[in-house]
Amino acid sequence: MRSTKRFIAVAIATGLVSGGSGAAIPASALAAPEPLARKPGVYRVTTQAVRTHSGPGSTYGVTGVHKAGMLLAASGRNSKGWTEVFLSTGGSAWIKSVHLTRATGTVYKVQAQPGANFRSGPGTNFRQKGFLKHGVIVPGTGNTKRKWAQLLLSSGELVWASTRYIVLMNATLTAPAHAGPPAADAPEDPPKEKRTR
């Protein structure tokens, strides 16, 4: 019995298994199938120093490096083992699907024009640390306080933004789960433009 199992294992490894037509089935055809397309939502990076690229492949330009434990919002688009994720700087990038695992969290979209400020804590009394442009999609940790939500930027930085200016997305990321602020709404203190002489 053992010798039979061993023969089958060797036959599979060397591509000698025959199909019903008598033709040999190559070993490559018996490899594990490509993972199923990932659903939209929040995913955690499982490997240290994983690069994202501008397209679904390592030949595309590098857009960033993400540490293990980071959260990324995925669009649900996949191509040949790569998953599209959103960047808090705007736009999207692609990462190898094997480096992601499903995680708990939320996904927000900046609805206000021209965007929303993010701060070190849940309130305008906390220091303003930056600005998220209109349309940017960013993962949330699930932590909320009053009318503020904690977000995780692509840089790995944890920040807070007012839910007056960001809207919680639904499970498919195709529409807001509730109505967002009007398009003319603006942050309490938009970034000051640098004057040029």
Side-chain angles (χ1 to χ4, degrees):
M1 184 60 115
R2 287 183 180 178
S3 60
T4 303
K5 288 182 179 178
R6 187 175 180 184
F7 173 78
I8 293 172
V10 172
I12 290 173
T14 56
L16 296 177
V17 179
S18 296
S21 62
I25 301 173
S28 59
L30 301 171
E34 185 178 338
L36 295 175
R38 295 178 180 274
K39 295 180 180 179
V42 179
Y43 289 83
R44 188 178 304 281
V45 178
T46 58
T47 311
Q48 287 287 357
V50 178
R51 296 177 178 178
T52 49
H53 295 260
S54 58
S58 56
T59 56
Y60 290 88
V62 176
T63 59
V65 179
H66 305 277
K67 297 179 180 178
M70 279 195 59
L71 297 179
L72 295 170
S75 68
R77 291 181 61 201
N78 295 267
S79 178
K80 298 178 181 178
W82 291 75
T83 295
E84 183 186 42
V85 293
F86 297 106
L87 301 176
S88 60
T89 52
S92 62
W94 293 79
I95 187 171
K96 282 189 176 180
S97 304
V98 294
H99 299 307
L100 298 176
T101 185
R102 189 80 182 195
T104 57
T106 50
V107 179
Y108 289 92
K109 182 176 182 179
V110 179
Q111 290 289 83
Q113 290 278 13
N117 297 312
F118 57 83
R119 297 178 178 274
S120 59
T124 55
N125 55 316
F126 288 90
R127 183 168 59 93
Q128 180 183 339
K129 303 190 73 176
F131 183 76
L132 294 170
K133 296 178 182 178
H134 170 76
V136 163
I137 295 175
V138 61
T141 63
N143 293 333
T144 58
K145 202 166 188 180
R146 296 182 296 276
K147 293 184 178 180
W148 292 76
Q150 189 179 49
L151 309 176
L152 183 61
L153 305 183
S154 300
S155 62
E157 186 178 14
L158 284 170
V159 298
W160 293 79
S162 171
T163 53
R164 291 174 60 192
Y165 309 119
I166 60 176
V167 64
L168 185 65
M169 303 298 286
N170 66 15
T172 61
L173 304 191
T174 56
H178 61 79
D185 200 2
E188 292 118 342
D189 48 352
K192 295 179 181 178
E193 293 183 5
K194 293 182 180 180
R195 295 182 179 179
T196 55
R197 295 182 179 179

